[in-house]
Amino acid sequence: MNTPWYHKTTIYQIYPRSFFDSNSDGIGDLKGIIQKLDYIHELGFETLWISPFFSSPQADTGYDISSYTDIAPEYGTMDDTLQLIEEVHKRGMKIVFDMVMNHTSIEHPWFKESRMSQNNSNSAWYIWQDKPNNWQSITGGNGWHYSPERKQYFWSSFLPFQPDLNYRNPEVKKTMFDTVRFWLHKGVDGFRLDIFNVIYKDAEFRDNPFSFKLIPTEDDPSGFFQEAKYNLNQPESFEFAKELRSVCNEFGDRILLGEVSGDRSIIRKFLGDKINNGLGLVFDFEMLSFEFSANYFRKLIERIEAHYPNPFMPVYVFSNHDRRRSINRLGDDLRKAKLLAMLQLTVRGVPCMYYGEEIGMTDLPQPFATALDPIPHKFTFIPRFIFDFLGLLINRDEVRTPMQWDEMRNAGFSSAEKTWLPIHTNYNKINVKREINDKDSLLNLTRRLLSIRNRELSLQEGSLNLLSGLPSSVLGYERKFENKKVTVLLNIDEREKEFSFEFSECIFTLSDIDDAKEKSIRLNGFGGIIIK
Ligand code: GLC
């Protein structure tokens, strides 16, 4: 069977509010994205994933939707959306929308109706109970909220203003599948699926068992002293993934990329049991808390290869709009960021980069009390240094600051007086324009690596074989497709390394010192090389 396009693609995530402001209101918009499409195209990415821009009170910047088929006015209009889809396709690229199926905004007309009484046309569209059980929300604390009009509690997996839809109600399921069809008809190439693993909850609302775990981790979402046994990763959700796949198949090969969390053997179930009968791709969030060492990456790749063997395909993601930017874990060290990009763009998997990652944009610390993100307001009573010590990002505004295009006012993002979030103070040093003109920049490295990836089938869909017998700080792997082979060697250490290695041609080096002569290879500290 041929490898589907979405297993070979490269993804660039746009947070629309922060990408480019075309109408000077301080907020990024759809026309702004259109104006910057050539930038992304020239970089070499194929697929754009755009965080939600649908009608919303913006209490969770768009992840609280009040109409799935209307566009929030600050982002533009339906015409702009159609034009965006068309412009993306004109460039031979793909476009992926963010589908928040699990919950709506509390302002959605369905919920407004549902909460009014136990007997109305939307009364069974959300999850209502007379008495709450012990489930905790993903963000901590009780996820049940009382509605005095209806005299019942509704369930919110995330924040109180994001009530969960009831997928056990066939009307809800049909309406949401039709919403998916609505956008597929308009030419969207697929969806990133927001917190997809909480879609179904236990039908009997059984209490979750006690657990000693306080903080949820990537491999185990249990936390706040309870095992998340009955409110996520339910068997019905795996079946739902298959149904959603068949809806998409009505339109041909479309991407479905799930935001799911939990043990790998569980989240693998979202992919279905054979190629193309489940989601197709899932994020594997262990990578978002990676350690920067050869040993760590060797083991990570071994684990990933074991869980997502061909014909499954992993996704390699190191940053997104909810987590610290990867460069933060690297002490803002550009040499390390370059090596990480080299790994991400050459390893077996779909790379997914977050806007600004290609120029090394850094987090901008901001106080919890004035945050636009609702999450930090839940935690103002806990001193910030505790979260920093634990490496947790609470104020997501810090990773959502506007894109740094140039050295002009507002980093070239907007000509407004005030931008929706502050511009990072380092924009004079870290910006697209400057990096385009610097041949050794992270941006140009990303572009060169993408162009190599885009012409080497072995990097797009080849098998991966980890190499042994190398110096311990050198991570090496071979990518093989049919009779073509490419080898990648990365020195994840600041000391130079020299070792013997047979090869015929060097196609890429990270620094001038990296060298490949005759049968010997010399890698600079944090150097890397691609050879044939
Ligand atoms: C996902 C999104 C996040 C959002 C949440 C609720 O985790 O990535 O930004 O706040 O779901 O929709």
Side-chain angles (χ1 to χ4, degrees), residues 112-350:
K112 284 186 171 166
E113 173 79 13
S114 189
R115 77 179 314 165
M116 288 320 287
S117 69
Q118 295 187 28
N119 247 319
N120 62 61
S121 54
N122 291 113
S123 54
W125 278 49
Y126 293 83
I127 298 171
W128 292 99
Q129 288 286 292
D130 292 330
K131 257 180 57 199
N133 61 9
N134 75 347
W135 298 350
Q136 304 267 335
S137 74
I138 299 175
T139 54
N142 186 359
W144 292 102
H145 309 283
Y146 190 65
S147 167
E149 300 90 344
R150 176 158 165 153
K151 300 189 177 49
Q152 274 187 319
Y153 294 82
F154 67 89
W155 171 248
S156 276
S157 289
F158 206 72
L159 288 163
F161 53 80
Q162 290 161 312
D164 285 32
L165 283 162
N166 173 17
Y167 281 86
R168 295 188 189 274
N169 177 346
E171 246 189 297
V172 170
K173 203 160 155 183
K174 181 178 179 311
T175 305
M176 291 309 286
F177 283 162
D178 286 345
T179 306
V180 162
R181 289 188 182 98
F182 173 88
W183 287 115
L184 291 173
H185 267 299
K186 302 224 179 286
V188 168
D189 297 291
F191 305 96
R192 176 260 186 191
L193 302 160
D194 193 67
I195 50 171
F196 194 74
N197 58 332
V198 298
I199 287 270
Y200 277 86
K201 293 61 128 145
D202 181 45
E204 295 164 39
F205 296 97
R206 280 170 283 188
D207 275 345
N208 276 334
F210 175 80
S211 150
F212 283 104
K213 213 154 162 263
L214 171 62
I215 299 170
T217 45
E218 310 300 353
D219 59 335
D220 178 6
S222 299
F224 311 112
F225 299 114
Q226 68 175 235
E227 191 191 324
K229 186 170 178 184
Y230 293 119
N231 56 330
L232 39 96
N233 292 332
Q234 301 298 296
E236 294 92 329
S237 298
F238 308 134
E239 283 311 304
F240 185 76
K242 291 186 186 171
E243 286 177 72
L244 186 59
R245 164 57 62 198
S246 48
V247 171
C248 286
N249 284 351
E250 295 165 19
F251 296 80
D253 243 5
R254 305 296 167 113
I255 189 170
L256 285 176
L257 166 56
E259 185 197 24
V260 296
S261 60
D263 183 90
R264 279 197 185 106
S265 54
I266 295 172
I267 60 176
R268 237 287 296 276
K269 295 185 183 167
F270 284 104
L271 296 175
D273 29 37
K274 45 185 202 282
I275 185 82
N276 223 7
N277 80 338
L279 293 188
L281 292 168
V282 289
F283 286 118
D284 191 301
F285 283 149
E286 179 192 332
M287 298 162 194
L288 288 162
S289 14
F290 69 91
E291 277 166 39
F292 194 65
S293 75
N295 193 32
Y296 172 81
F297 283 121
R298 206 172 291 124
K299 295 216 166 94
L300 172 78
I301 293 172
E302 272 169 10
R303 289 195 286 275
I304 295 283
E305 286 298 298
H307 275 94
Y308 307 98
N310 194 12
F312 297 107
M313 185 66 89
V315 178
Y316 275 79
V317 63
F318 297 118
S319 301
N320 69 22
H321 63 292
D322 295 328
R323 303 300 176 90
R324 296 213 168 284
R325 286 180 176 274
S326 56
I327 199 161
N328 185 278
R329 299 196 152 265
L330 304 173
D332 292 347
D333 187 332
L334 261 180
R335 297 170 308 164
K336 295 181 182 173
K338 287 180 181 171
L339 206 57
L340 188 70
M342 192 162 168
L343 168 82
Q344 189 179 20
L345 297 172
T346 58
V347 74
R348 192 182 80 88
V350 170

Side-chain angles (χ1 to χ4, degrees), residues 41 79 203 221 249 257 326 336 344 352 375-376 390 478:
H41 182 53
D79 279 348
N249 284 351
L257 166 56
S326 56
K336 295 181 182 173
Q344 189 179 20
C352 182
I375 294 192
L390 295 169
E478 242 171 37

Side-chain angles (χ1 to χ4, degrees), residues 401-414:
T401 57
M403 178 70 171
Q404 294 163 207
W405 293 102
D406 57 36
E407 285 146 41
M408 309 288 279
R409 187 186 147 71
N410 293 332
F413 159 72
S414 165

